[in-house]
Amino acid sequence: MSNDQELDFQFVRPDAPSVDPQVSSLASRLEPSTSKNQDDDDKSDISDSELFDELENDDALRGLRERRMEELKNEMAKVRDMRESEHGRYTEITDEKQVIQTSANEPRCVIHFYHRDFQRCKIMDKHLGSLLDWKEIAPKYFSTRFIRVFVENVPWLVEKLAIKVLPCVVCFVGGVLKERLIGFEEMGNNDSFSTASLEFRLAQTGVITLPKTPGSAPSSGRNIRGKAEDDDELDI
């Protein structure tokens, strides 16, 4: 192409976003003077403080601020209610009716059915939330309710859920039983499994949501099946 040729380019500027007319009007009054010789008697410009006073008194902006404050208050009230209902902790419920109500009413709930004499139940307790170490699961997932129940206190539930092997961790989402983890078969039948492996397995059921962090997810041991010799049979 010759240097003498003229190039005809057409640039299309996207439409400017809509701006509240009053805000636009006030902002335009902050434009600097185009000439230093502007009449000193021109009183059209206002100071920054006067402009912000006008914005402060604008009904639309005040309504927006009030709505946001109301949203924050509601969020704080929700967190307070959840904290009062033992969210963020790993607690025990002894009343069978209360266990049923909790599993039905909580959006996400993890229930560990245990026996005091079974060593593997104690190991599961340490991972779920003995509250001795922040890495344990219950304190990390505030939106999920974590409880444990002594099987001898809930005989109807044990029969209804056909619990035969302990420990047994049952996951409820929206009041619906999503999955149960029986013994340690989901963690490779190994007493020294990591808390991260249990977290990953719970996340697969939807009862918790793992935080988004770089790196690969831990192995869940999900493909390893069969009851380990160390799993405790529940004599019903």
Side-chain angles (χ1 to χ4, degrees):
M1 181 180 293
S2 170
N3 292 334
D4 296 333
Q5 288 181 286
E6 293 184 357
L7 300 179
D8 183 16
F9 290 100
Q10 291 185 347
F11 295 90
V12 180
R13 184 185 299 276
D15 295 336
S18 58
V19 179
D20 183 273
Q22 184 173 357
V23 174
S24 178
S25 174
L26 291 171
S28 67
R29 294 159 68 180
L30 284 178
E31 291 293 332
S33 300
T34 58
S35 173
K36 295 182 180 180
N37 297 324
Q38 184 177 1
D39 188 351
D40 292 336
D41 293 334
D42 184 1
K43 303 300 183 182
S44 62
D45 289 342
I46 61 174
S47 66
D48 289 358
S49 61
E50 289 173 324
L51 173 63
F52 287 117
D53 285 342
E54 290 193 39
L55 289 173
E56 181 72 19
N57 294 325
D58 179 73
D59 290 338
L61 292 176
R62 184 168 61 251
L64 179 63
R65 183 174 60 253
E66 290 174 353
R67 286 194 298 273
R68 182 54 183 155
M69 288 297 295
E70 187 65 25
E71 291 174 357
L72 290 173
K73 288 179 181 179
N74 291 337
E75 291 173 6
M76 292 174 64
K78 182 179 179 180
V79 170
R80 183 173 59 252
D81 292 343
M82 293 174 70
R83 192 175 300 280
E84 290 175 355
S85 62
E86 305 291 354
H87 280 255
R89 299 179 60 195
Y90 178 55
T91 57
E92 181 165 356
I93 298 179
T94 58
D95 180 72
E96 190 167 42
K97 184 177 180 180
Q98 186 181 354
V99 175
I100 296 171
Q101 291 174 339
T102 300
S103 66
N105 296 333
E106 291 287 350
R108 295 191 282 188
C109 182
V110 174
I111 304 178
H112 172 207
F113 289 83
Y114 82 101
H115 194 285
R116 297 186 185 115
D117 297 333
F118 294 170
Q119 179 61 30
R120 279 198 160 183
C121 292
K122 296 176 183 178
I123 294 173
M124 183 64 73
D125 277 340
K126 291 180 180 180
H127 289 287
L128 288 174
S130 61
L131 299 183
L132 298 178
D133 187 335
W134 108 273
K135 292 181 179 179
E136 292 158 352
I137 295 174
K140 293 172 63 176
Y141 299 94
F142 187 76
S143 61
T144 300
R145 183 78 188 276
F146 289 85
I147 64 175
R148 71 173 191 166
V149 293
F150 183 42
V151 288
E152 293 183 8
N153 290 333
V154 289
W156 183 85
L157 269 177
V158 168
E159 182 177 358
K160 182 71 175 178
L161 299 176
I163 295 174
K164 300 292 185 181
V165 176
L166 298 179
C168 181
V169 175
V170 184
C171 304
F172 291 87
V173 178
V176 178
L177 192 157
K178 287 296 182 180
E179 201 160 351
R180 67 186 78 197
L181 310 183
I182 300 172
F184 288 176
E185 64 183 35
E186 300 283 355
M187 275 70 67
N189 283 325
N190 188 338
D191 287 7
S192 60
F193 68 90
S194 68
T195 300
S197 296
L198 178 57
E199 283 181 84
F200 182 70
R201 186 64 188 90
L202 291 174
Q204 289 181 317
T205 73
V207 76
I208 65 172
T209 301
L210 294 175
K212 295 181 179 180
T213 54
S216 59
S219 172
S220 66
R222 189 175 183 178
N223 293 328
I224 300 176
R225 296 291 181 178
K227 191 184 79 67
E229 294 181 358
D230 290 338
D231 287 337
D232 293 297
E233 291 281 359
L234 179 62
D235 186 15
I236 299 178

